[in-house]
């Protein structure tokens, strides 16, 4: 068998991809990378500004709250374009400030798990149904799901669950030619992070320094995550499934 060249291995021409939470931040960067590799990219987000994002990068947009079964199903159908869905990037997630355990209500924990775990699970299940000829799923976890951390307990629990469901889905879907991996980002400079850090900034925190507080002293950018996503969904990663790739500038090293 001839060895494919590098360009062929990373070429996504004709592949149908769905990226959730793609209006901005990490999801947007991922959608851009997949589009640049030739994929037909559908951006799904509950924020209607995703329409403008899609136009800028040459993709399609569907309004979709991933917790809504009908909207999720419509997004998967749109992304499959009457054929196979080849790629799902399960990126949409929330990280509202958790605070100390004593201040965390049951409803807060339920909401975190509803979006970050239950809806990601549903999205992977719906996508897998549309991956009749195989495919690749990438779930966005977090280093918070690996090492934990004070005041982010509910978020940590949700992202730990994403890592576990990634392994389980990989086992079940592997025989159908569907690879399932996760990325655990360190802190990445996105609108969501800026929003979360705003109160700390008001208290004197240097946000840029906090974002670059890793051994590489590089501020984590959405494209750092997008590059690894491209690798994981491409044929470069043909023999990788069930894994969580930490992309954090060495913060957990
Ligand atoms: N930024 C980081 O430092 C960081 C670190 C680790 C993990 N992550 C994970 O990466 C993912 C993206 O993070 P980000 O920083 O780009 O976030 P962000 O808040 O900047 O953007 C998230 C996008 O997802 C959308 N979204 C939220 N809930 C949704 C829902 N129910 N249905 C559809 N869309 C929804 C938002 O409208 C937004 O456009 C999340 O899963 C997050 O937990 C981020």
């Amino acid at each position: 068998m001839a060895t494919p060249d590098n360009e062929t291995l990373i070429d996504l021409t004709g592949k149908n991809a769905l990226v959730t939470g793609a209006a901005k931040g990490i999801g947007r960067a991922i959608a851009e990378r997949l589009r640049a590799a030739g994929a037909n990219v559908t951006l799904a987000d509950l924020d209607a500004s995703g329409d403008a994002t899609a136009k800028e990068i040459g993709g399609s947009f569907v309004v979709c709250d991933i917790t809504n079964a009908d909207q999720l199903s419509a997004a998967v159908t749109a992304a499959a374009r009457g054929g196979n869905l080849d790629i799902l990037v399960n990126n949409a997630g929330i990280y509202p400030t958790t605070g100390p355990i004593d201040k965390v209500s049951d409803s807060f924990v339920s909401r975190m798990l509803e979006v970050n775990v239950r809806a990601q699970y549903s999205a992977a299940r719906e996508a897998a149904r549309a991956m009749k000829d195989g495919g690749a799923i990438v779930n966005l976890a977090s280093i918070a799901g690996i090492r934990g951390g004070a005041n982010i307990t509910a978020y940590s629990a949700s992202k730990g669950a994403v890592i576990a469901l990634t392994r389980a889905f990989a086992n079940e879907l592997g025989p159908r030619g569907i690879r399932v991996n996760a990325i655990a980002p360190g802190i990445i400079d996105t609108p969501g992070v800026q929003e979360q850090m705003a109160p700390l900034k008001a208290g004197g925190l240097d946000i840029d320094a906090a974002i670059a507080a890793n051994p590489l002293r590089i501020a984590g950018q959405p494209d750092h995550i997008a590059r690894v996503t491209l690798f994981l969904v491409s044929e470069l990663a043909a023999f990788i499934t069930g894994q969580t790739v930490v992309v954090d500038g060495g913060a957990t090293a």
Side-chain angles (χ1 to χ4, degrees):
M1 192 178 75
T3 307
D5 60 28
N6 291 346
E7 288 73 21
T8 304
L9 286 171
I10 213 138
D11 183 10
L12 301 181
T13 302
K15 301 281 187 193
N16 296 319
L18 175 62
V19 184
T20 67
K24 54 181 177 286
I26 292 170
R28 178 197 166 115
I30 290 170
E32 279 187 90
R33 277 277 160 208
L34 300 188
R35 181 71 201 114
N40 306 315
V41 182
T42 300
L43 294 76
D45 206 300
L46 48 73
D47 180 349
S49 74
D51 193 33
T53 308
K55 288 193 172 82
E56 282 169 37
I57 71 174
S60 313
F61 177 67
V62 281
V63 175
C64 169
D65 179 339
I66 60 164
T67 65
N68 179 307
D70 291 339
Q71 291 181 11
L72 188 56
S73 174
V76 167
T77 301
R81 296 169 177 249
N84 194 55
L85 180 68
D86 302 291
I87 295 164
L88 167 70
V89 183
N90 230 338
N91 166 75
I94 55 170
Y95 41 94
T97 306
T98 303
I101 297 167
D102 279 344
K103 304 277 185 216
V104 176
S105 66
D106 289 349
S107 63
F108 183 94
V109 177
S110 293
R111 177 70 190 152
M112 190 79 85
L113 297 179
E114 164 70 359
V115 179
N116 288 2
V117 185
R118 202 281 299 159
Q120 268 213 15
Y121 188 108
S122 300
R125 182 192 61 222
E126 294 308 307
R129 283 186 181 139
M131 291 178 169
K132 296 184 173 61
D133 296 328
I137 296 174
V138 173
N139 298 320
L140 266 291
S142 168
I143 58 171
I146 295 172
R147 68 172 183 188
N151 298 320
I152 54 167
T153 48
Y155 180 70
S156 277
S158 76
K159 292 301 186 179
V162 169
I163 292 167
L165 78 81
T166 298
R167 290 199 195 100
F169 269 65
N171 273 281
E172 195 163 325
L173 297 177
R176 290 178 43 200
I178 300 172
R179 296 183 298 103
V180 188
N181 291 292
I183 295 176
I187 189 163
I188 304 294
D189 191 0
T190 65
V193 160
Q194 290 287 345
E195 205 178 293
Q196 287 302 311
M197 287 193 161
L200 299 171
K201 187 179 182 184
L205 177 84
D206 179 344
I207 294 188
D208 292 340
I211 292 174
N214 56 60
L216 291 178
R217 306 285 191 268
I218 294 172
Q221 297 296 334
D223 192 51
H224 288 129
I225 307 306
R227 293 177 200 185
V228 178
T229 306
L230 175 60
F231 163 72
L232 285 173
V233 303
S234 79
E235 285 298 303
L236 287 171
F239 200 45
I240 300 178
T241 196
Q243 305 306 305
T244 296
V245 181
V246 175
V247 186
D248 68 350
T252 52

